[in-house]
């Protein structure tokens, strides 16, 4: 350090600054803060406990074929019919992944294509492109994103439908910083440009993780007056519970929805149950009879509207290799 | 700011890229997966849900 500062005049001029920076970064690493996780995954634990993202109705069959493990190459055929909310569809999907690249594609029977491309430059720096391509005009979407995770912070930039001619589109920037070993705070800004009009809004985030990482509380305040608060707790080895409160306090609309969910992870099955303040009770059971065959049953009763929905599904996996062979090779860790 | 003529050209290029991506993305993944897979699968296994 001393030899470089004497040899270069620039280094000697900058040395007070670099010293301060060095001392600051040493002080920062001495705090021993861990990475708070990304803003996108702020409520990941709650989402995986609740069955909102897993619920389906009608009949469903998913046939997945693992053609290769390293690199991962998988094709899926999904059939769904008799749903009350969605028309019957057939969906073909393909996934290719190795340790630095993830490619996924989906095409449905109407010819809509969903694609995703993730490239991990390093383990903490990932670029993502997501596209939705449709025959109808106006249903196309492209999503460019870069994710960077530092030692105690996460940064993310996103552009939604950026137009190369007038720079229109939606731009997101988010930052989440660990302040203590438990608490992380951050913000997410949205900049919207469309035909000469621009609009910027910022929402604020906070995440508190229990010391044993067995409970997580998050809050997100949006400028429109919406507040989302979640709480997730690991009750035991196999049981997780999550609560979610969504408040809207806008001049036009005042609304609140609370959701309570429970998830059991048993050896051969996963069971999720959920209750919310709109009067809905729902449950989903995923039972694995064999490593390659799973059976799903779901049900929902809306007590206030007096309506019910049920669903049934099968998931069949087949591969060119025997389960023993597949178990020997560790699957790749693609950038997600 | 680009001129009107260039704007038109950019929009045409973007539209062409969109069409290429729409029809080429899934075949591209299958091509990449098929050539990089270890061991290489047979083509019939790739497309038929039953095989």
């Amino acid at each position: 350090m001393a030899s470089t500062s004497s040899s270069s005049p620039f280094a000697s001029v900058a040395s007070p600054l670099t010293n301060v920076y060095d001392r600051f970064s040493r002080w920062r690493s001495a705090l021993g803060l861990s990475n708070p996780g990304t803003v996108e995954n702020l409520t990941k634990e709650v989402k995986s406990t609740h069955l909102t993202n897993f619920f389906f109705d009608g009949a469903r069959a998913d046939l997945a074929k693992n053609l290769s493990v390293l690199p991962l190459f998988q094709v899926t055929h999904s059939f769904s019919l008799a749903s009350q909310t969605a028309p019957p569809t057939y969906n073909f999907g393909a996934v290719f992944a190795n340790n630095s690249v993830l490619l996924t594609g989906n095409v449905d029977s109407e010819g809509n294509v969903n694609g995703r491309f993730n490239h991990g430059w390093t383990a903490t720096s990932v670029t993502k492109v997501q596209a939705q391509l449709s025959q109808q005009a106006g249903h196309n979407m492209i999503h460019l994103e870069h994710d960077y995770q530092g030692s105690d912070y996460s940064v993310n930039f996103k552009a939604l439908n950026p137009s190369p001619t007038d720079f229109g589109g939606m731009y997101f920037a988010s930052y989440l910083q660990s302040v203590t070993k438990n608490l992380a705070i951050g913000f997410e800004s949205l900049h919207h440009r469309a035909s000469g009009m621009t609009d910027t809004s910022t929402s604020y985030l906070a995440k508190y993780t229990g010391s044993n990482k067995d409970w997580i509380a998050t809050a997100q305040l949006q400028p429109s007056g919406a507040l989302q608060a979640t709480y997730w707790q690991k009750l035991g080895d196999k049981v997780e519970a999550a609560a979610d409160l969504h408040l809207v306090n806008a001049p036009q609309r005042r609304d609140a929805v609370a959701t309570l969910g429970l998830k059991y992870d048993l050896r051969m099955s996963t069971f999720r149950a959920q209750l919310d303040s709109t009067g809905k009770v729902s449950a989903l059971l995923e039972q694995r009879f064999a490593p390659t065959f799973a059976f799903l049953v779901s049900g929902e009763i809306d007590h206030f509207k007096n309506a019910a929905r049920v669903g049934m599904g099968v998931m069949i996996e087949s591969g060119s290799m025997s389960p023993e062979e597949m178990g020997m090779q560790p699957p790749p860790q693609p950038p997600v | 700011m680009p001129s009107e003529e260039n704007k038109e050209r950019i929009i045409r290029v973007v539209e062409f890229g969109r069409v290429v991506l729409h029809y080429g993305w899934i075949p591209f993944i299958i091509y990449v997966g098929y050539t990089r897979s270890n061991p290489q699968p047979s083509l019939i296994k790739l497309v038929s849900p039953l095989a």
Side-chain angles (χ1 to χ4, degrees):
Chain A
M1 192 69 203
S3 65
T4 54
S5 60
S6 59
S7 61
S8 145
F10 172 74
S12 61
V13 170
S15 75
L17 279 176
T18 53
N19 273 344
V20 167
Y21 179 76
D22 273 354
R23 211 179 297 168
F24 178 72
S25 53
R26 235 176 297 143
W27 168 75
R28 191 163 162 175
S29 57
L31 289 173
L33 301 175
S34 58
N35 183 277
T38 59
V39 170
E40 195 187 353
N41 286 340
L42 192 74
T43 58
K44 182 182 76 177
E45 287 82 7
V46 174
K47 279 181 194 150
S48 83
T49 305
H50 281 172
L51 65 76
T52 317
N53 292 325
F54 300 90
F55 187 81
F56 66 95
D57 71 336
R60 205 176 86 172
D62 292 308
L63 305 159
K65 223 178 294 181
N66 287 313
L67 296 159
S68 168
V69 179
L70 202 72
L72 180 76
F73 180 41
Q74 190 185 51
V75 290
T76 53
H77 304 265
S78 331
F79 305 84
S80 118
L81 57 113
S83 167
Q84 288 178 18
T85 49
T89 55
Y90 165 71
N91 207 299
F92 174 79
V95 181
F96 174 82
N98 59 27
N99 286 320
S100 62
V101 172
L102 172 73
L103 304 169
T104 69
N106 262 303
V107 57
D108 69 10
S109 38
E110 265 134 55
N112 302 315
V113 174
N114 270 306
R116 185 188 270 271
F117 169 76
N118 291 4
H119 186 272
W121 308 95
T122 66
T124 52
S125 176
V126 181
T127 299
K128 303 176 189 177
V129 180
Q130 205 181 326
Q132 218 174 75
L133 307 157
S134 164
Q135 309 281 16
Q136 299 157 279
H139 281 74
N140 295 301
M141 193 193 82
I142 186 145
H143 198 130
L144 310 169
E145 187 173 349
H146 189 83
D147 224 13
Y148 181 77
Q149 285 173 276
S151 57
D152 59 355
Y153 64 96
S154 300
V155 193
N156 178 280
F157 296 101
K158 257 186 265 184
L160 187 70
N161 283 344
S163 155
T165 51
D166 59 357
F167 304 107
M170 282 165 114
Y171 301 90
F172 299 81
S174 67
Y175 182 79
L176 191 64
Q177 166 82 51
S178 292
V179 209
T180 70
K181 281 191 171 129
N182 303 106
L183 181 68
I185 52 173
F187 67 90
E188 181 168 41
S189 281
L190 158 66
H191 183 68
H192 186 190
R193 287 173 74 107
S195 51
M197 287 218 317
T198 66
D199 179 33
T200 306
S201 64
T202 302
S203 56
Y204 299 95
L205 322 153
K207 178 179 183 179
Y208 195 93
T209 312
S211 298
N212 296 330
K213 298 208 188 309
D214 57 349
W215 64 272
I216 296 170
T218 71
Q220 182 167 3
L221 181 65
Q222 277 160 4
S224 57
L227 171 78
Q228 189 189 11
T230 69
Y231 178 76
W232 172 86
Q233 165 114 43
K234 210 170 167 65
L235 294 173
D237 232 12
K238 292 170 175 163
V239 196
E240 288 166 27
D244 173 62
L245 176 66
H246 217 105
L247 290 171
V248 180
N249 189 8
Q252 312 87 25
R253 200 162 78 93
R254 286 162 70 93
D255 199 7
V257 178
T259 311
L260 200 64
L262 203 61
K263 178 178 132 185
Y264 286 87
D265 261 318
L266 304 171
R267 196 172 61 85
M268 292 293 268
S269 62
T270 306
F271 179 70
R272 291 183 172 89
Q274 184 174 308
L275 172 71
D276 73 16
S277 62
T278 60
K280 281 183 193 159
V281 184
S282 40
L284 171 72
L285 172 71
E286 189 183 325
Q287 173 79 44
R288 260 181 200 286
F289 290 111
T292 57
F293 179 75
F295 184 72
L296 291 87
V297 191
S298 68
E300 182 193 87
I301 303 173
D302 192 327
H303 284 288
F304 293 172
K305 286 187 193 143
N306 226 346
R309 297 194 291 168
V310 286
M312 219 186 247
V314 286
M315 280 198 317
I316 301 167
E317 255 180 68
S318 64
S320 49
M321 278 177 279
S322 65
E324 292 78 35
E325 272 182 299
M326 285 170 70
M328 278 193 293
Q329 281 176 311
Q333 305 282 323
V336 283
Chain B
M1 266 312 196
S3 69
E4 282 302 316
E5 199 180 311
N6 277 338
K7 261 190 199 175
E8 199 104 318
R9 214 169 284 161
I10 290 170
I11 289 170
R12 248 194 329 242
V13 168
V14 167
E15 180 57 27
F16 178 71
R18 191 194 71 75
V19 172
V20 167
L21 212 60
H22 194 159
Y23 291 100
W25 183 245
I26 303 263
F28 170 71
I29 297 180
I30 290 180
Y31 172 75
V32 169
Y34 183 70
T35 50
R36 305 274 195 288
S37 272
N38 174 36
Q40 204 165 68
S42 64
L43 271 177
I44 182 75
K45 271 196 165 155
L46 211 59
V47 283
S48 150
L50 301 171

